[in-house]
Structure formats: C-alpha cells, structure tokens
C-alpha cells in the first residue's frame, strides 16, 4: 500500500520560477526523504528531514515537514531546465521498517 | 550511480524462462534492496538484504527470489518469468536501515526487463 502520495502528479513551469511539490503520508514516521529521478536513470537522494525537524534547506531546496498534518513540501527556488525530472517522497514508517516511495511528481522546467 | 552497477542493463526474455539480475556495490554498505518501477505504481520493494545471507521479503516478492553470498553482490532471480514482470528493476544500497540515524539510499542505473 502507498504510504506517501505526491501532489501534483505533473507540474510545468518556466525557468526562474519556483516549484512546489507536496507529499502526504498516512502513518507516523521516523523521517521523510525526497529523491529526484532523471529520465532513464536511477533515483538520487536529495534531502532527509527527521520527524522532529520542521524545515531543512539544501542549496535551492527547501523542505518542510508538518507531522500533525502528515505532510511535507519540497520547494525548488529559481528553477532551471536541468531541474526537469520526477521527484519522489519516501517515508520511513515506524510501523513498517522500510522506505515506502510515492508515485512521484513529474516536473518540467521550460527554458 | 557511482559505486553501484547492475547487469544486464537491458534484457528481453521469453515467458517461462529463468532470469537473474545482478547488483554489485563497491561501497561496502550493509543493506541492499531490489525495487521494481512501473507506470502508475511508483517504486515498490521486492526483497532486501541486511547482511550476507540475511534477506527478507518486500511488498511485491511473489515470483522473485534473492541471494547474497558476498557483501558486494545481491542477485535477483525470476524463477519463471511472466509478462507481468516486465518492468524496470533498480538496486539500491544504504549504510543503515529503518529507524537508524542515516538512512539515505543510493540507486543503481536500473535494468529494463521485457518478458515476451
């Protein structure tokens, strides 16, 4: 069963704009992670946020976590064409033991 | 993809034939995973290993078996391939497991398997 669900499924923006993707999950977690997948490639880890953290930054990435709403958001600022990829959230559920991945948001950044 | 290789990268096989996919790592990470990725389903865990000869089932393990005789190699076997096993298969590794401090997973480049 799917633990994390990303929203929207697809997002198209212009270069320079910000992109926001959301992830909702169902059960208590130890941490939540975001991954990027370029077409035809494996997933690449972007950022991990623990359940006791509310916000984390890494370069142009900003991740927030709201455990009361069981949701997270990934913000990419000043997007570039190279940010075009699918983005997945993955949750480390306390009850389950392994990472569970959502179905992803497909981001297209037009030059 | 550094430190993780998968072979073969592409394979076409017939229904009913056995298929083995190999994942090789040079990072000496304890945990290794096999996922399959299908449109509309995202990434689903097939089997994972938490040490040499220590393996366990994931969400979609039916029809698959695994073996890990060395730290660096994790094999996924389809005993008798079916068309429903047509997919892209990813291997991943991590230093630690669920609930531990650092739990990032690092993925291989994937194997595209077609069962005709």
């Amino acid at each position: 069963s799917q633990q994390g669900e990303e929203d929207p499924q697809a997002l198209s923006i212009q270069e320079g704009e910000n992109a926001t993707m959301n992830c909702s999950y169902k059960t208590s977690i130890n941490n939540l992670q975001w991954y990027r997948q370029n077409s035809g490639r494996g997933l690449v880890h972007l950022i991990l946020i623990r359940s006791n953290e509310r916000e984390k930054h890494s370069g142009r990435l900003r991740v927030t976590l709201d455990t009361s709403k069981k949701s997270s958001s990934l913000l990419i600022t000043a997007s570039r064409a190279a940010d075009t990829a699918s983005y997945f959230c993955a949750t480390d559920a306390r009850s389950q033991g392994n990472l569970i991945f959502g179905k992803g948001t497909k981001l297209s950044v037009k030059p | 993809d550094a430190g993780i290789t998968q072979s073969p990268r592409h394979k076409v096989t017939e229904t009913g034939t056995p298929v083995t996919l190999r994942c090789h790592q040079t990072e000496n990470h304890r945990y290794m995973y096999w996922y399959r990725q299908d449109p509309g389903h995202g990434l689903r865990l097939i089997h994972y290993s938490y040490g040499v000869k220590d393996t366990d089932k994931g969400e979609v393990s039916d029809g698959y078996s695994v073996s890990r005789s060395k730290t660096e190699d994790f094999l996924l076997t389809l005993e008798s391939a079916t068309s429903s096993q047509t997919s892209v298969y990813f291997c991943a590794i991590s230093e630690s497991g669920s609930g531990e401090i650092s739990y990032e997973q690092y993925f291989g480049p994937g194997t595209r398997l077609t069962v005709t």
Side-chain angles (χ1 to χ4, degrees), chain A residues 13-15 39 73 75 85 94 96:
Chain A
I13 60 174
Q14 294 294 131
E15 210 166 26
S39 182
S73 67
L75 168 67
R94 290 177 183 169
Q96 194 134 356

Side-chain angles (χ1 to χ4, degrees), chain A residues 1-2 30-31 33 35 37 40-43 45 48 50 88 92-93 97-99 101-103, chain B residues 1 33 35 37 40-43 45 48 59 90 98-105 107-109:
Chain A
S1 61
Q2 225 56 34
N30 293 312
N31 64 63
Q33 303 180 39
Y35 289 78
Q37 183 180 34
R41 306 290 296 274
L43 278 70
H45 180 263
L48 179 153
R50 304 197 188 288
F88 296 85
D92 173 15
N98 284 302
L99 279 186
F101 288 82
K103 296 179 183 178
Chain B
D1 298 350
Y33 309 83
Y35 293 92
Q37 186 176 34
H41 289 278
L43 216 63
L45 181 65
Y48 68 102
E59 179 188 357
F90 287 99
S98 173
E100 299 179 46
I101 293 176
S102 175
Y103 187 26
E104 297 91 348
Q105 292 190 8
F107 283 77

Side-chain angles (χ1 to χ4, degrees), chain B residues 67-114:
Chain B
S67 66
R68 191 167 178 202
S69 58
K70 297 184 289 185
T71 298
E72 57 267 34
D73 290 325
F74 193 32
L75 304 181
L76 176 71
T77 297
L78 291 65
E79 303 290 349
S80 178
T82 66
S83 59
S84 65
Q85 293 176 312
T86 292
S87 187
V88 181
Y89 291 86
F90 287 99
C91 174
I93 64 174
S94 67
E95 242 178 327
S96 54
S98 173
E100 299 179 46
I101 293 176
S102 175
Y103 187 26
E104 297 91 348
Q105 292 190 8
Y106 303 93
F107 283 77
T111 294
R112 184 171 295 274
L113 176 67
T114 302

Side-chain angles (χ1 to χ4, degrees), chain A residues 68-104:
Chain A
S68 66
K69 295 181 180 178
K70 293 187 169 58
S71 68
S72 173
S73 67
L74 170 67
L75 168 67
I76 304 175
T77 60
S79 63
R80 306 166 181 168
D83 294 327
T84 294
S86 290
Y87 292 82
F88 296 85
C89 70
T91 50
D92 173 15
R94 290 177 183 169
S95 63
Q96 194 134 356
N98 284 302
L99 279 186
I100 302 175
F101 288 82
K103 296 179 183 178

Side-chain angles (χ1 to χ4, degrees), chain B residues 3-7 22-26 32 72-74 91:
Chain B
I4 312 169
T5 57
Q6 292 184 230
S7 59
R22 179 182 184 236
C23 177
H24 179 79
Q25 61 148 329
T26 58
M32 298 185 76
E72 57 267 34
D73 290 325
F74 193 32
C91 174

